[in-house]
Structures are given as C-alpha cells and as structure tokens.
C-alpha cells in the first residue's frame, strides 16, 4: 500500500523524510503530523472555496491561504495536492478567477484522495504494531 | 508574543529498527541523522506562522541535534533577537503575521546580526526570491526544508 503512494506520485520523498523522524520517543510522529495537516487543510480548503465566491473578493487573502496550504502540503510530501495548489495560485495571481476555481477543485479532489488513502494505511500500521513500523522500508 | 516553544535538548535520532539498542548507542545517535554528526552545539530560531510547518521543521532540526526555538510571527523574532538571544541559524518564512518575513529579516540584519539566515517559504517566484535575498537572507529555499539542503548548511556552521 505504501509503495503505491509513491508509484502514483501522490506522495514524494518528503514523506520519507517525515518517517525518518519517527523513533521510540515519537513512534507516531507521522500519523500525528498528518492528522494535524488534515485538520488544518480541511479548514483552509473550505475557507478558500468560500472566499473565492465572496463579493467583493479579497484577492490577497485567498493568495495568502493558498500560499499557506502549498507550504503545508509540500512539508508532508503531498505531491499532487501541492502541484494543484501551485497551479491554482498562479491562475489566481494572473486574475484568472474561473481557471483558478476549476484548478482548485482538482486540488480538493487530490486532497480528499490522499486522505482517503492514508486513513486505512495508518489503521493498518496501528493494527500491525511497532514491529511492522520498524520494518517499513526507508 | 512569547516564543511558542522553549529550547529543547538536542534532538533524537532515528534508529529505524524499533529494537532494544543500548542507551549509550542511542545517546550517541541522538546527534546523528542522515550521517551528520555535529561537533558543536548549534542553535536555531525558527520563524513560521504555520504551526504545522513549525512542527515539521523543528522536528527536522532537532533530529540533527540543533537546539531550536520557534516563534510564530516576525515581530516576536525581532524582539527576541533585540533582547540579545543569539542563534547560529535563523529559518524564516516570508509570509508571517504581525510583521512579515521580509521586514523582519531587514530589521534583524539592521541590528548587526550576521548569522546564517534561510528564507524558507512556499513562494517560488523569482521576484519573491530576489526580494527575500535583498532583505538579507543568505539562502532562499522553497518549502519543504529538506535534509539535502539543510545538511551542507549545518556542516558549514559546524565548521566541518
């Protein structure tokens, strides 16, 4: 399951770097970080969607939130999410609102796909226990 | 605003085996990560408004044994530096609340601070890169902050 994340380019090697930060003192570091990420990202995505429809639109505010989401997505290795957010931001900065909205929906899909794939993965790790985590290829 | 996290002891290493390594080995490995062993005590200030990014970047720095303090806005960073606290390394984001990263960097440099400053940000446009470098960061890094970028910098700071 894990390898498929990289084969499908849903995650990149930044995720592997996060895994390396796990040890006995922080055995669930990755899951904790991902939980924090999804908690933030879910809120940010909802805010962006709302702000994109606002009248009048606060362009700098949307840009700031896209920037924030790009940074956090890159920090966990969420490759496709980061790429779609980057495209959204570029279109937004060019003033192409409709293009940005469409690309943003792609970002949202990638985000939801990532979340749907990671949840069973971490469930599997929890069930397998520390030995399985220790044997995880680095 | 007070710093959001205190200086912590040198970070821990990843043994990767989950097994019962002796405490002595673990203690030595505490300063090792991806084949970097720091001979000196290095300190870093991390300035990022995003709690999530702070967690990851702080985890990475600590894994290399760098004692890290984190703040979540530019003004807190400037005030901390102005109070006399010294760091070997400052890692600062561009978009920050209260006082943005560009202005915070300028003010820090205006105080005569010459330590290594990394501008780490989600921005990737050339104009933003130029602005951050002009403000005074030594290196402009598009997030994420990765070992490939960090290791040579830590080695340089460590005098290796």
């Amino acid at each position: 399951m894990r390898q498929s994340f990289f084969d499908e380019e849903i995650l990149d090697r930044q995720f592997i770097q996060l895994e390396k930060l796990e040890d006995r003192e922080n055995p669930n570091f990755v899951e904790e970080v991902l939980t924090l990420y999804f908690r933030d990202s879910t809120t940010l995505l909802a805010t962006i969607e709302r702000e994109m429809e606002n009248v009048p639109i606060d362009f700098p505010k949307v840009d700031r939130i896209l920037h924030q989401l790009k940074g956090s997505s890159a920090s966990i290795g969420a490759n496709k999410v980061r790429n779609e957010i980057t495209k959204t931001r570029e279109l937004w900065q060019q003033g192409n609102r409709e293009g940005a909205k469409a690309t943003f929906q792609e970002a949202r899909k990638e985000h939801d796909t990532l979340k749907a794939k990671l949840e069973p993965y971490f469930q599997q790790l929890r069930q397998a226990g520390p030995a399985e985590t220790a044997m995880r290829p680095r | 605003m007070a710093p959001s996290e205190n200086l912590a002891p040198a970070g821990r290493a990843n043994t990767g085996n989950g097994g019962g390594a002796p405490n002595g080995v673990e203690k030595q490995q505490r300063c090792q990560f991806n084949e970097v062993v720091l001979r000196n005590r290095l300190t870093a200030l991390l300035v990022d408004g995003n709690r999530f990014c702070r967690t990851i970047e702080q985890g990475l720095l600590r894994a290399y044994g760098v004692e890290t303090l984190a703040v979540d806005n530019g003004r807190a960073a400037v005030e901390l530096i102005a109070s006399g606290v010294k760091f070997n390394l400052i890692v600062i984001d561009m978009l920050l609340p209260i006082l943005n990263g560009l202005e915070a960097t300028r003010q820090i440099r205006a105080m005569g601070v010459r330590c290594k400053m990394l501008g780490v940000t989600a921005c990737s446009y050339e104009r933003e890169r130029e602005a951050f470098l002009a403000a005074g960061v030594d290196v402009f890094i598009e997030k994420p902050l990765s070992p490939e970028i960090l290791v040579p910098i830590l080695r340089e700071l460590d005098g290796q």
Side-chain angles (χ1 to χ4, degrees):
Chain A
M1 189 191 290
R2 178 179 172 276
Q3 187 56 41
S4 70
F5 299 149
F6 303 105
D7 293 342
E8 293 169 28
E9 297 182 339
I10 293 171
L11 293 174
D12 60 29
R13 57 195 309 265
Q14 175 64 14
F15 185 80
I16 299 172
Q17 298 303 335
L18 292 187
E19 290 178 321
K20 290 182 178 178
L21 294 176
E22 280 190 341
D23 61 12
R24 284 196 295 179
E25 288 177 34
N26 293 283
N28 303 312
F29 179 75
V30 177
E31 188 176 359
E32 286 167 7
V33 160
L34 270 289
T35 301
L36 198 57
Y37 167 75
F38 284 118
R39 192 183 330 152
D40 277 0
S41 61
T42 302
T43 304
L44 292 177
L45 286 166
T47 303
I48 292 168
E49 189 149 33
R50 187 180 64 243
E51 291 292 332
M52 277 182 164
E53 298 300 334
N54 239 356
V55 177
I57 290 182
D58 187 342
F59 281 93
K61 181 177 180 181
V62 173
D63 187 62
R64 271 196 310 274
I65 302 171
L66 286 168
H67 165 97
Q68 187 178 340
L69 188 54
K70 181 189 171 187
S72 54
S73 300
S75 296
I76 64 152
N79 185 47
K80 287 190 173 180
V81 177
R82 183 204 62 220
N83 290 344
E84 293 301 328
I85 293 294
T86 301
K87 288 181 206 169
T88 303
R89 193 166 178 239
E90 282 170 1
L91 290 166
W92 190 253
Q93 291 188 343
Q94 289 164 12
N96 184 344
R97 277 176 53 187
E98 293 310 309
K101 284 183 191 177
T103 312
F104 174 72
Q105 291 306 320
E106 289 303 311
R108 202 164 193 150
K109 274 188 213 165
E110 293 296 346
H111 172 271
D112 294 345
T113 298
L114 177 67
K115 192 174 181 188
K117 285 183 183 270
L118 283 177
E119 277 171 355
Y121 170 66
F122 284 114
Q123 199 170 17
Q124 192 180 72
L125 283 183
R126 280 195 297 271
Q127 286 167 355
E132 179 65 28
T133 307
M135 287 167 57
R136 188 171 58 207
R138 304 286 181 179
Chain B
M1 182 177 291
S4 54
E5 293 186 41
N6 293 322
L7 280 170
R12 65 294 182 272
N14 171 39
T15 61
N17 57 20
N23 284 342
V25 173
E26 277 192 0
K27 193 173 176 182
Q28 183 181 349
Q29 288 179 326
R30 203 165 284 150
C31 292
Q32 294 180 1
F33 186 68
N34 282 355
E35 300 171 6
V36 173
V37 179
L38 297 181
R39 295 188 291 239
N40 302 291
R41 174 181 170 269
L42 294 183
T43 57
L45 173 63
L46 178 59
V47 193
D48 197 311
N50 184 318
R51 179 182 57 155
F52 172 80
C53 290
R54 283 200 306 275
T55 301
I56 297 214
E57 290 168 2
Q58 200 157 12
L60 183 61
L61 285 164
R62 285 176 173 173
Y64 284 113
V66 180
E67 295 188 20
T68 308
L69 188 69
V71 296
D72 61 8
N73 68 82
R75 180 173 296 167
V78 170
E79 288 174 354
L80 186 61
I81 300 289
S83 74
V85 181
K86 296 196 186 319
F87 299 93
N88 301 109
L89 178 68
I90 298 175
V91 180
I92 184 165
D93 194 0
M94 181 178 278
L95 288 190
L96 294 168
I98 304 177
L99 184 69
N100 69 58
L102 293 178
E103 185 54 33
T105 300
R106 285 190 206 104
Q107 290 187 23
I108 288 170
R109 287 302 195 203
M111 284 190 263
V113 171
R114 292 291 168 258
C115 72
K116 195 84 165 181
M117 288 187 75
L118 310 185
V120 181
T121 180
C123 302
S124 56
Y125 300 125
E126 185 60 26
R127 63 174 183 273
E128 285 154 338
R129 177 180 170 277
E130 287 174 1
F132 222 167
L133 289 170
V137 299
D138 297 294
V139 185
F140 176 89
I141 298 165
E142 185 183 352
K143 282 182 179 175
L145 180 64
S146 68
E148 286 79 13
I149 295 166
L150 192 57
V151 164
I153 293 171
L154 292 180
R155 284 199 168 123
E156 179 196 333
L157 292 173
D158 196 41
Q160 296 184 18

